Amino acid sequence: MKSRYKWGILAPGKMAAKFTGGLKLLENAELYAAGSRDAARAEKFAHDNGFEKFYGSYEELAGDPDVDIVYIASPHSHHHEQTLLCLKNRKAVICEKAFALNSRQVEEMVAEADRNNLFLMEALWPPFQPYHKKAKELVRSGIAGRIVHLQTYFSFIPPYDPNDRKFNPSLGGGSLLDIGIYPVIDVLTFMGVPDDIEAVADFAETGAEVSLSAIFKYNDGRMATIYSSYRTNNGIGCNILCEKGNITASRGRDMNQRVFLDLHGQNREEFVFSPPAMGYHWEAEEVMRCLDEERNESRIVPLSFSLNLIRTLDRIRKAAGISFPNE
Ligand SMILES: NC(=O)c1ccc[n+]([C@@H]2O[C@H](COP(=O)([O-])OP(=O)(O)OC[C@H]3O[C@@H](n4cnc5c(N)ncnc54)[C@H](OP(=O)(O)O)[C@@H]3O)[C@@H](O)[C@H]2O)c1
């Protein structure tokens, strides 16, 4: 068990800056090194955020023997290659969602971590958030009865830029792996892996999918509808419709998280959570807790969940006709 872990940031872009904000809240996290494809970008990020070292290549970052943990925050298309690079250099790895482009890549990443006896986790936001944990607790308690239908969504309107990773199919662009992954996390968390999936999508001029609707069906009659889009702006949330009432869970525009339990008007209860920050520090804290306890896998985001997630995303893509050129 170490008193402090030296963190390395691989691909210091927008998300890396937010995650670093979380690391700054943790006493046992040392802001050690940033690695970019471009030395000047790495230097600026290191300087702006108080990292001790910077590297102009990912290979140099991964090869630094003092780095304990690497956080990977590149576009999805590069997660597979960069995770393998870090694992081969014997680093613990937390890699942003989507973990990779497809299940074949994630299976290889998991196998490499296993072979090297190293820690690996997908950086998933919902499992650490109070609203998600409360909704899960209510579902598990059975207070609203059995789930009949789950409606879950995430949409926002980013500026259209064909070069941005969100609209570039060769970077894994499209709403599904970027934000549609959250509704899929909801369904897998609250209902498990579906038996059948139907899906349709709409595409931008670049070929990237920009709106997606999917229906998940279970052999016992349960269903879920999933929506993600860059063309509307309704944020993130879900309605869990159950036999004895409904559970609504969302994060509002004010960033407060709310869970509303309504037992068909008989009993109503609202739970409001106001986390002090985005909560990325909870993910980093979990990585260091696992390393303290000499565990290679998180119990909060186990690799089996990440495998179910990417396999479900593959099934949605197949049903909706979404493909990436570099697969
Ligand atoms: N958990 C969350 O809440 C959350 C929120 C937003 C995003 N994310 C995830 O974080 C990851 C990064 O998203 P972002 O918005 O931060 O991306 P970004 O700012 O567009 O890019 C991040 C970094 O990736 C590298 N990069 C950019 N374009 C590249 C290209 N064409 N080829 C190779 N590398 C490229 C660059 O690093 P270099 O300086 O090394 O070139 C860049 O600084 C995505 O997987 C996304 O899904 C997660």
Side-chain angles (χ1 to χ4, degrees), residues 40-51:
R41 238 180 354 256
E43 182 176 20
K44 182 168 186 334
F45 186 90
H47 176 264
D48 291 350
N49 291 285
F51 283 79

Side-chain angles (χ1 to χ4, degrees), residues 298-311:
S298 162
R299 293 193 187 112
I300 299 171
V301 189
L303 293 168
S304 57
F305 187 89
S306 292
L307 284 164
N308 281 340
L309 180 57
I310 195 73
R311 286 172 184 148

Side-chain angles (χ1 to χ4, degrees), residues 274-293:
S274 308
M278 278 297 286
Y280 297 123
H281 64 291
W282 289 318
E283 297 167 34
E285 204 171 49
E286 169 67 358
V287 176
M288 294 189 286
R289 185 167 40 238
C290 290
L291 296 182
D292 282 349
E293 295 171 5

Side-chain angles (χ1 to χ4, degrees), residues 160-173:
Y160 179 66
D161 173 358
N163 297 315
D164 187 283
R165 66 168 180 84
K166 291 191 264 311
F167 297 99
N168 184 341
S170 63
L171 298 178

Side-chain angles (χ1 to χ4, degrees), residues 264-286:
H264 292 166
Q266 300 301 306
N267 186 359
R268 290 165 179 232
E269 206 171 347
E270 187 177 33
F271 307 88
V272 182
F273 306 96
S274 308
M278 278 297 286
Y280 297 123
H281 64 291
W282 289 318
E283 297 167 34
E285 204 171 49
E286 169 67 358

Side-chain angles (χ1 to χ4, degrees), residues 231-294:
R231 289 196 168 141
T232 61
N233 189 359
N234 71 334
I236 183 170
C238 65
N239 300 316
I240 308 171
L241 311 178
C242 308
E243 285 172 333
K244 293 192 276 182
N246 306 324
I247 301 162
T248 303
S250 65
R251 184 188 64 189
R253 289 191 201 286
D254 58 3
M255 300 307 272
N256 283 331
Q257 302 181 3
R258 289 186 176 79
V259 177
F260 189 61
L261 173 71
D262 180 352
L263 299 180
H264 292 166
Q266 300 301 306
N267 186 359
R268 290 165 179 232
E269 206 171 347
E270 187 177 33
F271 307 88
V272 182
F273 306 96
S274 308
M278 278 297 286
Y280 297 123
H281 64 291
W282 289 318
E283 297 167 34
E285 204 171 49
E286 169 67 358
V287 176
M288 294 189 286
R289 185 167 40 238
C290 290
L291 296 182
D292 282 349
E293 295 171 5
E294 297 182 357

